[in-house]
Structures are given as structure tokens and as C-alpha cells.
Amino acid sequence: RWCADYHKTNVILSAGKPGRQAAFQNATFGQPVHQTHPHLIGSGEVLTGIRLEEVQERRKRLLQALRDHHALQTGAATNHIVVIPSANKKYMSHKIPYVFRQNTDFLYLSGCQEPDSVLVLEIDASSNCKSTLFVRPKDRHAEMWDGPRTGVQAAVDVFGVEEALDVNSLKEYLTKHGFAHPNAVLWYDAAASDLQDVSKMVKDVTNQTQPKPPTEAIQSLRLVKSASECALMGKTCEIASKAINRTMQHSFPGISEHQVFANVDYYTRVAGANFLAYPPVVAGGSNATVIHYINNNQIVEAGELLLLDAGCEYHGYTSDITRTWPVEGRFSDPQRVLYEVLLQVQRELLDCLQQAGGETLDQLFDTMCSKIGKYLQEIKLIPESLSGLERSRAAYKFCPHHVSHYLGMDVHDTPLISRNIRLMPGMVCTVEPGIYISKHNFDVPVEFRGTGLRIEDDVLIKPDKQIEVLTKECAKDVAAIEGLFSR
């Protein structure tokens, strides 16, 4: 829907403004910058691994995409204004906040990690673009309690916008823009906004006119990663892969699911991750047949498999991996049979990405059902009499979830983008078939009941129908998994 021209990943990689370092020497900021955190932020970067010019280019591409899409629909060029709010702080109890996580659309386009901020983007009929960032003003008392803020004065240089203003002046700014450009198209997604006061302002100044949400257009840009984003995706996947290997290596009969949770959390953080990307699934024995099991409070007994679905967030980019292994380090014969069936399915799915049966994620799902059905039939878990669609439907009962989703700044990234579009270089997706057999499924032999398995890798789509498995360092073959326990 959104023009593929805006998926270009080439960005300007010029250095930052002269004199910027000197201007920042005695300043304080609401997030790491190169002058205060050179171990995290390189020269010319606004976020770890992301240069300021790349973020500026994203804003320009979004405005051009919205303008061109609207012109295609209406046949007229006009002014556009886009309002994108940050996240706000959320509290678990009085004055006790949850860990703050920025709205990823706002972060992608602003580079700003501070709450209660708003990015306003404008483009006119002559393609002149402007970015204005509304931020909290410096406040010595508030900063004593909650830490420094970047403030209005430094925001222009830090975030590369044309103008920075006090967030309290947002309504006045929008009102003036409305008077100056009464026919401008307003883009704002109230449903996705944490800042209800901003939603009310937008409603008040637009005279009840329903603004258009820019979310799908932003996600269309985010879908295809730049070279710098691909490098960050590689790093988050490397950290999670090695952490899961160590977590497997240090599991044993009688370990609690909670301890496994703690181990993978610890190993990712000490390797540089900010935190886990989502509440992990740590499921021993029959708990693994509950796909979104996150209680993580049971003991994993000898003879049981342990399923771990975990990933980490590394400077705004997430990984998502699942591994299943025997808690004492050796598969039983029935476990090995099911595991090798699933591993074979997963390998074949990886092989057919961008090929017939894997040109879209929905095609890959259909292929998964067909392959699981075929192999489960071979081990007598699905009747031999079934074929084609009937066999795939029978297989779906053993794996009732999709085989893939897009991955990036969010775990289930760009959810408004259809899984029925052709894969293209720069996309990152998961490949995660599973087999789940309830302990109450009396249609299968007793030795298979209560068994849940999933194998999940993260994959970068590359040119010329190539792929790169970003999680390749995470042990997956039977010999590799069992080998971890002999070290």
C-alpha cells in the first residue's frame, strides 16, 4: 500500500554539527549522548548504532510517503501535519514506576527516549519539511527526583529537529497551524496514544474532524531495516543466543522455572542487553503445552523437557528465540522422535523462505501445516488416510499458532503489516513451528502425552533469495544440545 520507494535503506552518514561537542560540554541530558556516554553512543549517533542523519531521513521519508499517498487518493497536493506522542511513565503503585519503555514509533522518528514528549512533522505542497520536538522544560526540582532532562535549548542539536519547544505550548502551536493551514491534513492516532491530554488537544483544535492515523505508514517504513538496524538486530540475537546456551547448560533436574527465568535474564543483561524483550515462557513438562505459559513457578523434574521462549532488547531492538531441551541433558527416545520431527520441519521452513511455499509468512504457515502433517503421519500420530487439506487441518491441532511474525523494535513488530506480502531484503522475521500434545489427548500413545516443543529462530531476509539466521549460535541440533551438558 505504501510506496516501495520509501523502503530504501541508504542513509546519509555525515558527521554531526561543528561545535556541538563544545556546546554540550557542561550540559545535562535526559538520555545518553556521546559526550556523556561514549561507551554507548558513538560520535554522530543519536541512539546506540543509529546516526542522527538516519533518523532525520526517516522523518523525511514518512512525510513524503504520507503526502504522495494522499495525493494519489485525492489528486491534490496539500499541507500535512503529523503528531506523534511519546509514551508516558506508568506506575505499579504510588510513586513506584515500571521500567519506562518508549513508544517505538516515536523513538524511530525522533531518537528521543524521554517521556511526555511530542514530535510534530510538517510538509507543504512544495515538499518543504519541518520537524518540531516538544519536550519537558528543564526543572531543577523535578530533575533532582527523576534525573536530568534534555530540555528545550539542547533538543534541536541532540535530535536534529528544526525547532524545539516546551511541551506545554503544543496546543497553541497546533491552533496557530490550524488557522494558517485550514485545509491541512492532520495525522494522529488517538487509539495508540498514551498521552490523553495530547489527544484532547488534537480533538479541540481540529473541531471534531477525525484525524488520519499515520501508524500503518510508519510501520511500513519500520518493516524494512537499514544496515545499522540489521547490525543491532544481529547483536540482540547474538546476546540472546549465548544467554540461552548458558541457561541450558546450567539446568538440572529439580530446577525451578523461576530460576531458569532468572538465569536467562541475568546472562542477557551482563552481556549488554537492557532487559528481556517480553515475559519469557519457562515451561517444564506438560506446562509447555500451554503456548503462553508465563507463571514460571513449577519445578522441572527429571525426565521432563524444558521449553524456554525468551529474547532481549538491545538498545531498542529485540530478539525472540525458543529452545526445548531435556532438563538432565539427554533426550528420551520418544522425546527425540518428536524433537527430530520438529527440527526437520523447522530446517525445511528456513530453506523455503523466499522460495515456493515461503514467499510470504502466510505461505510459510501453510507449508508448516503441510510438513507437520506429513511427518506426524510417518510416526503414526495422524491417520494415514488423511491427505492434503485434511492432513493440514489435523496438523494444525498439534500447532495452533502462526509460524512467523515480523521482528524489530517490538517483538511482534509492525502488526498492521499483512503477513501476506512478499518478503523483501531487510525484513526480519521468526520461524517457529511447534508440536503440543495435551496430557489428556488419548488419541496418541501415552509416551507422547503432555509434551510441548517449539523451535524458534530469527531470520534476516537478504538479497538474491538468501537468508541469514541471526540466532544461529543458539544450540539447536540434538548433538549440540546434549553436548552443552558434557562441558
Side-chain angles (χ1 to χ4, degrees):
R1 182 178 173 185
W2 300 96
C3 182
D5 288 346
Y6 299 110
H7 288 315
K8 293 176 183 174
T9 57
N10 53 310
V11 294
I12 302 168
L13 298 178
S14 58
K17 292 182 180 180
R20 190 174 165 203
Q21 187 165 351
F24 287 175
Q25 208 160 26
N26 298 313
T28 57
F29 305 92
Q31 65 187 63
V33 298
H34 177 63
Q35 289 71 20
T36 61
H37 293 72
H39 58 293
L40 294 179
I41 308 292
S43 178
E45 292 179 351
V46 63
L47 299 167
T48 298
I50 304 292
R51 294 186 65 83
L52 179 60
E53 290 84 1
E54 179 168 342
V55 175
Q56 292 172 316
E57 183 70 12
R58 292 169 181 175
R59 296 195 282 257
K60 186 182 299 183
R61 288 165 59 208
L62 174 66
L63 287 170
Q64 291 169 345
L66 293 174
R67 177 205 60 194
D68 291 352
H69 175 72
H70 185 267
L72 189 65
Q73 298 292 313
T74 64
T78 188
N79 292 64
H80 295 258
I81 181 168
V82 189
V83 180
I84 303 168
S86 73
N88 61 1
K89 275 190 175 181
K90 297 175 178 61
Y91 292 83
M92 61 178 76
S93 64
H94 183 60
K95 294 187 177 180
I96 307 300
Y98 288 104
V99 173
F100 177 73
R101 185 173 188 269
Q102 187 59 282
N103 173 340
T104 45
D105 284 345
F106 176 84
L107 183 63
Y108 179 79
L109 291 163
S110 70
C112 178
Q113 299 181 51
E114 298 185 46
D116 303 315
S117 306
V118 181
L119 179 66
V120 174
L121 305 177
E122 300 166 63
I123 188 169
D124 65 19
S126 301
S127 299
N128 298 305
C129 298
K130 181 186 177 186
S131 302
T132 306
L133 188 62
F134 293 81
V135 296
R136 301 170 303 172
K138 300 292 279 185
D139 182 323
R140 188 172 297 177
H141 178 75
E143 291 178 69
M144 179 181 71
W145 285 95
D146 297 322
R149 301 173 176 182
T150 300
V152 173
Q153 276 191 311
V156 169
D157 281 334
V158 173
F159 304 112
V161 292
E162 281 71 43
E163 187 175 18
L165 296 169
D166 185 331
V167 70
N168 296 305
S169 66
L170 175 63
K171 185 172 183 178
E172 179 186 359
Y173 187 92
L174 294 176
T175 302
K176 285 182 179 177
H177 186 278
F179 280 125
H181 307 284
N183 297 316
V185 178
L186 174 65
W187 300 83
Y188 178 73
D189 190 347
S193 175
D194 278 350
L195 305 183
Q196 296 308 307
D197 55 336
V198 174
S199 295
K200 185 176 186 308
M201 287 178 204
V202 170
K203 186 176 180 181
D204 289 346
V205 303
T206 54
N207 257 350
Q208 311 297 318
T209 301
Q210 186 67 31
K212 299 173 179 289
T215 319
E216 186 178 346
I218 299 170
Q219 291 187 14
S220 184
L221 295 180
R222 284 177 49 185
L223 180 65
V224 176
K225 277 65 178 174
S226 68
S228 54
E229 289 182 291
C230 289
L232 288 164
M233 290 299 302
K235 184 62 176 178
T236 187
C237 289
E238 177 192 349
I239 290 171
S241 296
K242 291 178 177 178
I244 290 173
N245 285 347
R246 294 186 70 183
T247 301
M248 283 195 272
Q249 193 174 9
H250 291 96
S251 60
F252 53 86
I255 195 172
S256 71
E257 295 166 344
H258 178 75
Q259 186 175 342
V260 176
F261 182 151
N263 284 344
V264 74
D265 188 21
Y266 172 75
Y267 294 137
T268 55
R269 287 178 189 254
V270 297
N274 302 88
F275 35 72
L276 291 179
Y278 51 92
V281 175
V282 186
S286 63
N287 289 336
T289 64
V290 180
I291 295 166
H292 287 159
Y293 174 85
I294 57 171
N295 292 338
N296 303 337
N297 59 8
Q298 189 52 274
I299 300 298
V300 188
E301 304 289 359
E304 291 186 325
L305 291 174
L306 177 55
L307 185 154
L308 172 63
D309 184 340
C312 62
E313 183 165 317
Y314 177 78
H315 298 291
Y317 289 81
T318 62
S319 46
D320 183 6
I321 306 172
T322 308
R323 291 295 185 263
T324 309
W325 70 93
V327 72
E328 69 262 56
R330 291 200 66 80
F331 289 89
S332 69
D333 288 343
Q335 290 169 350
R336 186 184 301 267
V337 166
L338 281 180
Y339 188 85
E340 289 189 336
V341 161
L342 186 62
L343 184 58
Q344 183 64 25
V345 169
Q346 207 245 7
R347 283 174 175 154
E348 292 181 12
L349 292 174
L350 289 170
D351 287 343
C352 79
L353 276 171
Q354 298 194 86
Q355 312 292 333
E359 293 178 315
T360 73
L361 299 187
D362 281 347
Q363 285 181 18
L364 195 70
F365 169 75
D366 292 339
T367 301
M368 178 196 74
C369 291
S370 175
K371 288 182 180 297
I372 288 179
K374 172 190 170 186
Y375 289 119
L376 290 187
Q377 208 169 46
E378 290 179 4
I379 63 171
K380 313 299 184 186
L381 296 192
I382 287 178
E384 290 183 7
S385 59
L386 300 182
S387 62
L389 186 57
E390 285 185 330
R391 186 171 64 187
S392 290
R393 284 174 175 164
Y396 181 66
K397 293 178 182 178
F398 288 89
C399 184
H401 60 69
H402 206 290
V403 72
S404 183
H405 57 80
Y406 303 116
L407 186 68
M409 297 180 79
D410 294 318
V411 178
H412 284 255
D413 204 48
T414 60
L416 295 180
I417 305 301
S418 169
R419 287 189 269 203
N420 202 30
I421 64 170
R422 188 179 291 271
L423 295 172
M424 65 178 74
M427 291 182 178
V428 180
C429 64
T430 64
V431 178
E432 50 179 303
I435 296 174
Y436 312 93
I437 304 173
S438 166
K439 59 186 177 182
H440 304 298
N441 186 345
F442 301 112
D443 294 329
V444 303
V446 64
E447 62 267 26
F448 295 126
R449 295 175 197 165
T451 302
L453 309 94
R454 183 163 64 252
I455 302 172
E456 177 181 16
D457 281 304
D458 303 337
V459 181
L460 170 63
I461 305 300
K462 302 188 78 173
D464 303 319
K465 297 187 179 293
Q466 300 298 305
I467 66 167
E468 179 182 353
V469 180
L470 300 175
T471 48
K472 56 185 175 293
E473 292 192 54
C474 195
K476 180 169 65 173
D477 295 349
V478 169
I481 290 174
E482 293 184 344
L484 289 173
F485 289 81
S486 61
R487 295 178 186 176

